[in-house]
């Protein structure tokens, strides 16, 4: 399972952009009220905060939901003719913001914009009776943006402008913990320019690379490079399509998202069998590999702590690298456009991304793509 290029993300250079992890992910959606209900019901998020006309925000509504260290903001415009409505018209529902936790949002913005990062939001102080949050932002691929969030002087529930969202409907947690990694799909020949962006503008390192020989079935080829920040808390793999016999899965995404964007969010759990059983029970569908995958998987990955039977029943995949193994599964797209999906991942030492599963997985994906008539 060794990859083509591997570098240790730890570096002796001073990290000019120290990150403490993902603060939140903001989705622009057509109907945030229904989306919040969906994520609470299916994935076990809890209501956290709300902003809208009742809190003095007149042009949009945002629901904030949380599960452990995983925070989603679901935002919808209240009227047409604005940037959010345009974003949804163009891309469908999708990820707009990957917000990163920093000690100093002003310094993060200065460091990144002075290295060529394109300004999205100049450092802005948001205040209320609970303190202040400093927020700044830069553009990344497509219309996606990175916010830098500094909340060390804030004691409120989420951010100024939001009020606590009390709800009588609180479905139980499914054990989702935090963002493990977030994958971007970019256009033909755009992977290396975006790798360079993460290296130069954000000080990330390329820790793993996959070429089309690693990641191709007969049809659905792609290339991928994994970018990581210094402490490894933030990992952004970047995919681009590769030539195959038929259309690449990345190309299908680009067609339906109408440009570059976030392909999947991988979410960590400590017990993937319990988490995925619960999420499946609540109606979420996952990609299925043929049952024969399980006949010889233990010959490939060696001994694991879990019983194979529940993994087989749920369709959970297994892979191993030099440091341990991992268990993972991929949802079907979360909206009607074949764009954003989730990965659920449990790491047992492994720091890689499941390369040994790519072939079985992409064949499963191609069957879905074929059913949509896009292969
Ligand atoms: Fe992934």
């Amino acid at each position: 399972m060794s990859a083509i290029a591997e570098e240790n993300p730890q570096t002796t250079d001073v990290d000019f952009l120290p990150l403490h992890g993902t603060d939140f992910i903001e989705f622009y959606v057509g109907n945030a009220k229904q989306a919040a209900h969906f994520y609470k019901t299916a994935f076990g998020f809890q209501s956290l905060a709300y902003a809208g006309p009742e809190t003095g925000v007149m042009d949009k509504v945002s629901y904030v939901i949380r599960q452990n260290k995983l925070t989603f903001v679901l935002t919808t415009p209240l009227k047409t003719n604005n940037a959010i409505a345009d974003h949804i018209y163009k891309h469908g529902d999708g990820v707009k913001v990957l917000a990163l936790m920093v000690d100093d949002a002003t310094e993060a913005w200065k460091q990144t914009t002075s290295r060529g990062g394109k300004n999205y939001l100049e450092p802005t102080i948001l205040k209320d009776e609970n303190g202040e949050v400093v927020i700044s932002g830069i553009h990344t691929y497509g219309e996606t943006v990175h916010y830098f969030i500094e909340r060390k002087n804030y004691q409120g529930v989420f951010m100024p402008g939001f009020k606590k969202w009390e709800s009588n409907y609180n479905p139980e947690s499914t054990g989702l913990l935090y963002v493990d990694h977030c994958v971007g799909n970019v256009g033909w020949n755009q992977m290396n320019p975006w790798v360079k962006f993460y290296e130069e503008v954000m000080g990330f390192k390329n820790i793993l690379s996959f070429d089309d020989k690693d990641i191709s079935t007969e049809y659905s080829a792609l290339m991928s490079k994994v970018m990581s920040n210094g402490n490894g808390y933030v990992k952004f793999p970047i995919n681009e399509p590769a030539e195959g016999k038929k259309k690449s899965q990345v190309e299908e995404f680009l067609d339906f998202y109408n440009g570059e964007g976030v392909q999947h969010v991988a979410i960590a759990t400590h017990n993937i069998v319990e988490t995925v059983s619960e999420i499946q029970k609540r109606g979420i569908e996952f990609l299925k590999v043929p049952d024969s995958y399980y006949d010889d998987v233990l010959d490939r990955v060696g001994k694991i702590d879990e019983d194979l039977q529940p993994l087989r029943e749920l369709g959970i995949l297994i892979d191993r690298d030099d440091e341990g193994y991992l268990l993972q599964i991929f949802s079907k797209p979360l909206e009607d456009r074949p764009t954003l999906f989730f990965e659920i991942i449990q790491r047992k030492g492994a720091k890689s991304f499941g390369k040994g599963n790519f072939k079985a997985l992409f064949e499963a994906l191609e069957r879905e793509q074929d059913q949509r008539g896009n292969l």
Side-chain angles (χ1 to χ4, degrees):
M1 297 309 120
S2 69
I4 301 163
E6 194 160 354
E7 271 183 57
N8 192 329
Q10 305 303 330
T11 168
T12 48
D13 306 336
V14 176
D15 188 352
F16 64 81
L17 184 64
L19 302 173
H20 299 302
T22 303
D23 192 283
F24 65 84
I25 298 178
E26 182 169 17
F27 301 76
Y28 281 177
V29 297
N31 188 333
K33 178 180 268 193
Q34 290 186 1
H37 190 280
F38 168 79
Y39 284 109
K40 285 173 66 177
T41 302
F43 292 96
F45 285 83
Q46 302 301 312
S47 300
L48 181 74
Y50 169 87
E54 298 84 347
T55 66
V57 178
M58 302 315 287
D59 57 346
K60 63 179 182 180
V61 162
S62 295
Y63 295 83
V64 187
I65 55 175
R66 179 170 286 167
Q67 183 166 185
N68 296 305
K69 288 182 179 166
L70 191 59
T71 306
F72 287 175
V73 180
L74 302 155
T75 297
T76 209
L78 289 171
K79 294 194 169 165
T80 40
N81 299 324
N82 59 68
I84 304 172
D86 292 349
H87 196 278
I88 296 165
Y89 178 74
K90 185 169 177 194
H91 303 294
D93 288 4
V95 171
K96 175 64 182 179
V97 181
L98 297 168
L100 305 168
M101 242 178 264
V102 297
D103 283 331
D104 187 335
T106 307
E107 186 61 18
W109 183 87
K110 282 186 189 159
Q111 290 288 347
T112 49
T113 52
S114 70
R115 288 173 166 80
K118 196 174 142 214
N119 170 52
Y120 178 77
L121 177 66
E122 287 185 19
T124 305
I125 301 172
L126 307 171
K127 278 186 186 179
D128 68 11
E129 66 278 12
N130 296 305
E132 64 175 51
V133 168
V134 187
I135 178 170
S136 62
I138 60 169
H139 290 266
T140 178
Y141 48 78
E143 290 196 89
T144 316
V145 304
H146 289 310
Y147 279 166
F148 302 114
I149 307 285
E150 171 190 333
R151 51 171 76 255
K152 61 179 185 283
N153 298 315
Y154 193 67
Q155 281 77 45
V157 63
F158 181 60
M159 275 209 260
F162 287 78
K163 67 170 187 182
K164 192 169 172 22
W165 175 21
E166 305 269 14
S167 173
N168 295 325
Y169 179 61
N170 305 299
E172 240 180 88
S173 166
T174 60
L176 298 177
L177 298 174
Y178 54 84
V179 175
D180 183 278
H181 61 275
C182 228
V183 180
N185 276 347
V186 300
W188 292 93
N189 306 313
Q190 291 304 302
M191 178 178 70
N192 285 327
W194 285 108
V195 162
K196 205 164 158 245
F197 165 88
Y198 280 105
E199 283 171 347
E200 289 178 359
V201 174
M202 296 185 65
F204 282 38
K205 294 262 191 284
N206 174 209
I207 56 164
L208 224 45
S209 302
F210 308 100
D211 68 12
D212 51 347
K213 285 178 248 357
D214 295 311
I215 318 187
S216 71
T217 61
E218 206 180 344
Y219 301 133
S220 195
L222 65 82
M223 295 192 281
S224 189
K225 287 188 177 176
V226 182
M227 305 308 293
S228 172
N229 82 317
N231 60 19
Y233 290 177
V234 179
K235 292 186 285 292
F236 294 142
I238 307 290
N239 295 336
E240 74 170 35
E243 289 295 350
K245 277 194 184 167
K246 290 197 179 174
K247 188 185 260 189
S248 164
Q249 54 169 293
V250 177
E251 216 184 339
E252 189 199 33
F253 174 100
L254 296 168
D255 284 354
F256 282 85
Y257 197 69
N258 207 355
E260 302 178 338
V262 173
Q263 178 212 36
H264 75 266
V265 178
I267 305 169
T269 170
H270 288 324
N271 188 332
I272 196 166
V273 171
E274 279 180 15
T275 296
V276 172
S277 307
E278 195 53 40
I279 291 173
Q280 283 194 6
K281 239 184 269 169
R282 300 184 193 190
I284 296 300
E285 295 181 315
F286 291 88
L287 285 181
K288 283 275 186 185
V289 295
D291 200 55
S292 57
Y293 170 91
Y294 295 93
D295 294 345
D296 57 1
V297 67
L298 295 183
D299 300 338
R300 178 166 65 80
V301 303
K303 199 180 157 329
I304 57 168
D305 302 334
E306 293 73 14
D307 290 335
L308 194 59
Q309 192 50 29
L311 302 179
R312 184 194 284 260
E313 281 164 18
L314 293 165
I316 293 165
L317 308 174
I318 314 153
D319 197 23
R320 184 178 285 279
D321 62 22
D322 298 341
E323 292 170 276
Y325 69 96
L326 62 82
L327 304 161
Q328 64 185 169
I329 192 168
F330 297 83
S331 78
K332 291 188 181 179
L334 293 160
E335 53 290 298
D336 291 305
R337 296 192 193 199
T339 54
L340 177 74
F341 59 89
F342 285 172
E343 171 182 352
I344 314 289
I345 184 166
Q346 181 178 6
R347 294 186 180 278
K348 306 205 73 169
K351 296 209 177 76
S352 51
F353 296 83
K355 181 178 155 186
N357 292 322
F358 288 169
K359 191 170 186 307
L361 196 64
F362 290 175
E363 283 169 356
L365 218 142
E366 271 168 18
R367 286 191 292 277
E368 301 273 322
Q369 204 178 327
D370 191 30
Q371 281 171 21
R372 293 190 285 261
N374 298 328
L375 192 60

